[in-house]
Amino acid sequence: MSRSFPIAIIAALGFAFAAVGNTQEDEVRKDTAQKDNPMERLSKPDDPETRNCLSISHIRRIETVDDQTLIFHMRGKDRYVNHLPYRCPGLKRNSFIHETSLNSYCDLDIISVVDLRIGMRMGSCPLGKFQKVTGSPELD
């Protein structure tokens, strides 16, 4: 029993050091990804307004930035970005549908990606929270 105790400690320390190394690598990856992010054209306010839901009647149009990001252009000049919690394959290339009995888009609502050429659902993904943003005029 005395031999397994030091081995267990060494193994635990090895896992701890690996976790710290991965965290540092993840931070470098995040910094690099943020530099290459198409969302750079949007500037976020210091204290962004985050909402759980947006009323459908107040939405003018929805822009698909990539497979994980939607911008909701509201009536007036407000815009909300929605970073889906997971990548939604095909979202950028295809359309999506949102089925609800409510008159709003809400976080965790499910959207379905639809390939309009063949009329088939390609997958479904949850929405994230809606974060108010300001950005360049070319987004309008």
Side-chain angles (χ1 to χ4, degrees), residues 37-108:
N37 189 340
M39 295 303 298
E40 285 180 4
R41 60 187 177 152
L42 297 176
S43 61
K44 298 178 185 174
D46 291 337
D47 185 23
E49 180 184 345
T50 301
R51 298 179 67 175
N52 293 333
C53 297
L54 295 178
S55 172
I56 290 173
S57 63
H58 293 131
I59 298 170
R60 184 171 35 119
R61 70 183 177 93
I62 302 170
E63 176 185 0
T64 305
V65 176
D66 56 32
D67 283 350
Q68 197 169 356
T69 310
L70 299 171
I71 298 174
F72 289 76
H73 296 262
M74 310 302 286
R75 297 192 190 283
K77 296 202 180 238
D78 288 343
R79 277 176 252 141
Y80 290 87
V81 67
N82 190 292
H83 297 286
L84 281 62
Y86 310 102
R87 189 175 156 271
C88 197
L91 182 61
K92 175 66 177 164
R93 292 185 316 274
N94 299 295
S95 293
F96 69 89
I97 57 174
H98 173 250
E99 299 170 311
T100 182
S101 59
L102 303 174
N103 189 25
S104 59
Y105 280 89
C106 293
D107 64 328
L108 301 181

Side-chain angles (χ1 to χ4, degrees), residues 30-42:
K30 284 180 189 175
D31 288 343
T32 303
Q34 287 173 352
K35 290 176 186 170
D36 299 332
N37 189 340
M39 295 303 298
E40 285 180 4
R41 60 187 177 152
L42 297 176

Side-chain angles (χ1 to χ4, degrees), residues 19-36:
V20 168
N22 287 340
T23 301
Q24 291 171 345
E25 288 173 11
D26 290 344
E27 290 302 318
V28 169
R29 279 190 212 117
K30 284 180 189 175
D31 288 343
T32 303
Q34 287 173 352
K35 290 176 186 170
D36 299 332

